[in-house]
Amino acid sequence: MKLLSLSNRYYFTGLFIVSLVGGLSSYFVIRRTVNSEFNDKLFAAKEELIDELYRHDELLSSYSLNIGDNIVIQKVDKDPKIQTFIKDTVLFNEYQNEEMNYRQITFSDKVRDNFYVFSITKSLLSTEDLIRGVTQVIALITALFFITMLVLSNIVSQRIWIPFYNTLSQIKDFNVKKPKPLSFSETNIIEFKELNSALELMTNQVTKDYKNLKEYTENTSHEIQTPLAIIKNKMELLMQDKNLSEHQISILGQVYESTGRLSKLKDNLSLLSKIDNNQFIDTSKLIVAEYLKKKIGRVKELLDIKNIEVILDFKENPSIEINETMAYVLFNNLISNAIKHNIESGKIVMTLTNAYFEIKNTGEPLEISEEELFGRFKKSGNRPDSSGLGLSLVYRIVDYYNFSISYKNTDIWHKITLKF
Amino acid sequence: MKILIIEDEHMLAESMVQYLEREGYQCEWTDNLAEAKEKSWDYEYDCLVVDINLPDGSGLDVIKQIKGMRSKSGIIIVSARNAIDDRIYGLDIGADDYLTKPFDLAELNARIKAIIRRRNFDAQNTITFNEIEVFPYEMSVKVHNKILKLTKKEYDLMLYFISNPNRVIPKGSIAEHLWGDEMGIADSYDFIYSHLKNLRKKILEHGGKDYIQTVYSVGYKFSDQ
């Protein structure tokens, strides 16, 4: 929900309640004032009537006093002892030709030894008009208020939030791998000023840290490679020495092999850290079936040596968006894994659909659990030619592209399913 | 044949010099950019081995200078950085080859030879080892003047051996030369052995001697001694 709609929601709810309470209370206040005014008028009329009755004889036969008021005088035999009371009543108005609200005061009195019951009825028409008018005015003011609020808050949010949206769009475009200096727009609003300076500080720090990390990875790989190169080359020179015994040469061979493993291990670790640092962001379209066929062609010798049969079951022809290096590492590891852990005259079955790639190979049962398979440095048995990083590289890449991967072992079959 | 090695790591440079001098090259070595620029200005080398990271600058500057001089020297970059960008840039400005540390001396030697062969273009250029002749331009091998029918891998193997005669070549070095990165796939060196067996058989069939000696648990040696 946008900040504007949220704040508007609160403002309008508050405004609605206030208008409702204000409107209702002004209605009641006005009504009460008018009512008491009306009652006062009726009482005054009563006093006036009695006064008139005492002073003039003839008036007794006259039934009206003021135009609009209706006076009824009824002669009774004995004292009815009616307390003066006021009530609202509905009567038929001949002029308006409809039923209308009236207020009536009823009382009794003794005039020249005779008892009378009097009632004076006043039309409430003017009161109703007044209240209706007042209500309309309040409603109009409330409506104007709402509209003004709506228009104002829209304009204000557009004006005031300009620097904020500017900052937001810059932060959205910010890429630590390709940092470009942020230029936030000038603003006089303290909160936005603080936000901008905090963001500037943060992005600078992030950029610096990222650069340091990259440099660290690069430096480490550089620093490790050089001594490795020295060891390897010195060993090669030593091997040429004609005075070495067979035993000594064999030790040299083992050390040389280990150097190679160390170098591979370092390559893989540096690859993992590069993936973690998002350094492979350029992607291109990869037609999986073609790519796999090419890959299989390149490992044909290895397949032949173990006499492994490859069965391709390409049902569909999917293509995926992936970085070239990552694709290489991903499929290379999956295929080499299927060859490396295969048995003599074994089989590899590859299935490809638009939704998934499945590679299944024959092999010895696994010595580590299925869950641990994708962890770093997990390997089945002690294989000198395996760094234990291959499948964790695969897992990292799968994770990076939001693919999913699963492993299943049934009898001699090891099956890895990669869902795109 | 004169080679200039520009490498700030003394021990590494020492190994390179030692290995290459035994191949009959005249090697000079410098550990800084300034001297490298000076030397390559004064003399014409057949090949330069250039490390990119030098204490006083980038080795790429030497390459730019040499290219500016329109020199015919071959250039091979050796770098600890396996960054694809570096590789492309280096080759772009005129380097002939790129090797990532750690590399095998046998590999370096084979590549230097290939570069020098290409620089001194000569159709008659052959590499001879007794009765065996390798014709790099035709990618063919003759034994007693009879052409051997070799597969691509067998030819590569032959060329690698004949470029590094009388040397113990570790199996790992051969595997990396033949398969590069795919080598990670191999779970044994069996496949080197099978190519070797075929190559040996073909040479023997044409009356050649078996010069490929097995050095127990290490690798092989192409030698007539």
Side-chain angles (χ1 to χ4, degrees):
Chain A
M1 179 184 282
K2 282 189 85 170
L3 185 63
L4 180 62
S5 11
L6 188 69
S7 60
N8 274 353
R9 180 184 282 191
Y10 285 121
Y11 284 144
F12 286 135
T13 313
L15 204 61
F16 181 73
I17 292 168
V18 168
S19 318
L20 200 69
V21 169
L24 283 175
S25 47
S26 31
Y27 171 78
F28 284 114
V29 166
I30 288 166
R31 227 181 92 129
R32 223 186 59 190
T33 314
V34 170
N35 270 349
S36 86
E37 173 82 19
F38 229 90
N39 292 352
D40 287 349
K41 270 187 183 164
L42 280 172
F43 281 120
K46 171 195 165 190
E47 294 304 320
E48 205 179 325
L49 180 68
I50 292 169
D51 188 50
E52 292 276 318
L53 283 171
Y54 279 113
R55 278 198 284 141
H56 308 283
D57 286 345
E58 305 89 61
L59 261 182
L60 280 172
S61 51
S62 146
Y63 285 92
S64 67
L65 193 65
N66 285 323
I67 303 293
D69 291 354
N70 192 1
I71 300 170
V72 177
I73 302 171
Q74 204 182 351
K75 195 177 168 188
V76 287
D77 293 343
K78 54 176 184 169
D79 189 357
K81 286 179 185 155
I82 297 171
Q83 286 284 318
T84 304
F85 71 91
I86 291 173
K87 68 166 188 190
D88 285 337
T89 175
V90 177
L91 292 172
F92 190 78
N93 185 307
E94 285 166 28
Y95 305 110
Q96 302 279 340
N97 205 17
E98 60 180 329
E99 290 196 328
M100 293 180 80
N101 291 317
Y102 288 87
R103 184 161 295 180
Q104 196 173 50
I105 184 165
T106 309
F107 60 97
S108 64
D109 206 350
K110 186 183 164 200
V111 181
R112 290 187 197 101
D113 303 327
N114 289 320
F115 292 102
Y116 295 95
V117 174
F118 304 94
S119 71
I120 305 169
T121 313
K122 253 182 178 331
S123 166
L124 283 171
L125 194 61
S126 58
T127 326
E128 283 168 2
D129 286 347
L130 182 68
I131 289 173
R132 191 174 301 136
V134 169
T135 314
Q136 277 167 354
V137 168
I138 290 174
L140 184 70
I141 290 174
T142 311
L144 280 175
F145 217 77
F146 268 91
I147 292 165
T148 315
M149 277 287 295
L150 200 68
V151 171
L152 263 184
S153 63
N154 266 306
I155 293 171
V156 164
S157 88
Q158 267 169 21
R159 287 269 171 81
I160 289 183
W161 291 93
I162 285 174
F164 175 80
Y165 286 116
N166 177 290
T167 304
L168 189 66
S169 77
Q170 292 210 41
I171 292 299
K172 268 185 189 163
D173 290 341
F174 180 74
N175 182 345
V176 77
K177 273 140 268 160
K178 293 169 184 165
K180 46 179 187 223
L182 298 170
S183 58
F184 298 124
S185 55
E186 278 297 314
T187 170
N188 290 321
I189 302 165
I190 294 174
E191 284 85 349
F192 291 161
K193 264 188 187 166
E194 280 182 12
L195 176 73
N196 286 352
S197 62
L199 280 174
E200 216 160 42
L201 209 70
M202 203 175 83
T203 48
N204 285 345
Q205 189 60 39
V206 166
T207 313
K208 217 172 82 189
D209 285 353
Y210 182 75
K211 202 169 145 254
N212 282 343
L213 190 67
K214 248 176 87 172
E215 274 173 11
Y216 173 79
T217 317
E218 275 173 22
N219 288 346
T220 313
S221 86
H222 178 83
E223 296 307 323
I224 289 179
Q225 292 293 60
T226 305
L228 264 177
I230 294 171
I231 296 170
K232 205 170 176 181
N233 293 357
K234 291 286 171 199
M235 218 117 55
E236 247 184 297
L237 286 176
L238 195 56
M239 275 175 201
Q240 315 305 332
D241 195 323
K242 293 196 172 62
N243 301 321
L244 291 177
S245 71
E246 200 170 81
H247 177 63
Q248 283 166 326
I249 285 198
S250 137
I251 290 173
L252 272 180
Q254 286 159 10
V255 180
Y256 180 89
E257 286 294 306
S258 303
T259 322
R261 274 173 67 191
L262 196 58
S263 173
K264 281 261 144 53
L265 187 67
K266 191 239 123 240
D267 282 349
N268 282 341
L269 273 177
S270 124
L271 201 58
L272 263 177
S273 84
K274 277 180 180 168
I275 297 171
D276 286 341
N277 290 345
N278 292 331
Q279 274 169 270
F280 299 110
I281 43 172
D282 307 323
T283 61
S284 55
K285 207 171 119 182
L286 182 100
I287 299 159
V288 184
E290 265 177 37
Y291 192 78
L292 287 172
K293 277 179 194 157
K294 224 185 285 171
K295 260 270 73 82
I296 295 160
R298 293 185 67 172
V299 295
K300 196 179 171 299
E301 291 169 89
L302 302 179
L303 295 168
D304 290 348
I305 279 166
K306 272 196 167 177
N307 195 21
I308 295 167
E309 186 191 354
V310 177
I311 299 157
L312 298 181
D313 181 17
F314 293 171
K315 294 186 169 77
E316 278 158 314
N317 189 21
S319 57
I320 52 175
E321 275 291 327
I322 193 169
N323 176 274
E324 219 184 304
T325 312
M326 298 248 245
Y328 176 83
V329 176
L330 176 65
F331 291 111
N332 213 41
N333 271 298
L334 287 178
I335 293 172
S336 66
N337 227 53
I339 299 173
K340 199 187 285 180
H341 301 289
N342 220 317
I343 46 173
E344 274 294 319
S345 306
K347 270 181 187 153
I348 295 176
V349 183
M350 295 186 204
T351 314
L352 184 67
T353 74
N354 283 336
Y356 66 89
F357 166 64
E358 186 187 282
I359 182 163
K360 173 161 103 152
N361 67 276
T362 49
E364 302 290 330
L366 206 64
E367 285 172 35
I368 54 172
S369 74
E370 292 180 8
E371 292 78 33
E372 279 182 319
L373 193 75
F374 295 106
R376 287 186 188 185
F377 302 111
K378 293 289 175 208
K379 41 184 177 176
S380 190
N382 183 26
R383 300 181 62 106
D385 56 338
S386 163
S387 67
L389 281 175
L391 281 182
S392 80
L393 269 169
V394 166
Y395 190 73
R396 224 11 231 105
I397 293 168
V398 163
D399 191 46
Y400 186 89
Y401 285 109
N402 290 324
F403 300 156
S404 73
I405 197 157
S406 60
Y407 167 78
K408 196 103 200 83
N409 176 210
T410 39
D411 297 331
I412 53 159
W413 288 101
H414 300 268
K415 185 172 83 180
I416 288 180
T417 312
L418 170 68
K419 289 200 180 90
F420 303 131
Chain B
M1 293 282 171
K2 276 180 94 169
I3 293 176
L4 178 64
I5 292 166
I6 306 165
E7 166 65 67
D8 63 326
E9 201 64 50
H10 290 208
M11 284 198 274
L12 209 55
E14 203 180 86
S15 311
M16 287 192 242
V17 170
Q18 214 177 321
Y19 197 96
L20 295 173
E21 274 182 345
R22 266 195 55 187
E23 289 297 310
Y25 294 114
Q26 218 181 317
C27 290
E28 282 188 35
W29 163 58
T30 172
D31 64 357
N32 62 75
L33 184 65
E35 201 187 355
K37 279 182 163 176
E38 206 182 298
K39 275 182 185 282
S40 57
W41 183 264
D42 289 345
Y43 306 102
E44 169 107 17
Y45 293 93
D46 293 281
C47 189
L48 284 92
V49 179
V50 184
D51 182 14
I52 292 182
N53 294 327
L54 294 170
D56 56 342
S58 165
L60 296 170
D61 288 353
V62 185
I63 302 174
K64 284 178 197 156
Q65 180 190 297
I66 291 168
K67 287 295 146 186
M69 288 159 57
R70 305 195 173 276
S71 158
K72 282 206 310 181
S73 311
I75 297 163
I76 180 161
I77 296 175
V78 287
S79 173
R81 286 201 240 164
N82 190 12
I84 291 168
D85 291 346
D86 278 2
R87 187 186 294 249
I88 291 170
Y89 183 68
L91 297 178
D92 251 12
I93 62 169
D96 297 275
D97 213 340
Y98 191 106
L99 264 181
T100 307
K101 290 179 192 171
F103 51 83
D104 288 291
L105 291 171
E107 182 69 40
L108 176 70
N109 181 33
R111 299 226 191 167
I112 288 175
K113 279 190 175 164
I115 288 172
I116 290 176
R117 272 201 309 274
R118 257 180 279 154
R119 294 276 142 189
N120 312 329
F121 181 82
D122 179 0
Q124 300 304 309
N125 201 345
T126 61
I127 311 164
T128 313
F129 190 91
N130 297 341
E131 70 273 21
I132 301 173
E133 268 182 303
V134 176
F135 299 82
Y137 291 98
E138 295 146 33
M139 288 181 65
S140 65
V141 178
K142 280 185 184 173
V143 175
H144 290 304
N145 268 323
K146 278 175 284 179
I147 287 195
L148 294 191
K149 272 188 190 160
L150 298 181
T151 64
K152 172 85 173 61
K153 284 281 183 296
E154 285 160 9
Y155 169 77
D156 286 345
L157 198 55
M158 185 67 241
L159 185 61
Y160 199 48
F161 273 131
I162 211 163
S163 296
N164 292 289
N166 301 315
R167 303 283 190 145
V168 176
I169 305 173
K171 280 182 279 192
S173 166
I174 297 173
E176 209 165 310
H177 179 77
L178 294 185
W179 287 278
D181 270 352
E182 308 284 345
M183 172 51 202
I185 277 175
D187 53 342
S188 71
Y189 292 117
D190 291 350
F191 52 99
I192 296 181
Y193 179 71
S194 80
H195 285 304
L196 230 138
K197 203 172 66 185
N198 292 336
L199 178 64
R200 194 181 260 151
K201 205 172 94 191
K202 286 175 187 176
I203 293 172
L204 289 175
E205 274 171 4
H206 287 74
K209 278 191 199 138
D210 182 13
Y211 298 115
I212 304 167
Q213 302 165 10
T214 304
V215 183
Y216 177 69
S217 88
V218 174
Y220 302 94
K221 188 175 182 176
F222 189 76
S223 175
D224 54 0
Q225 289 154 25

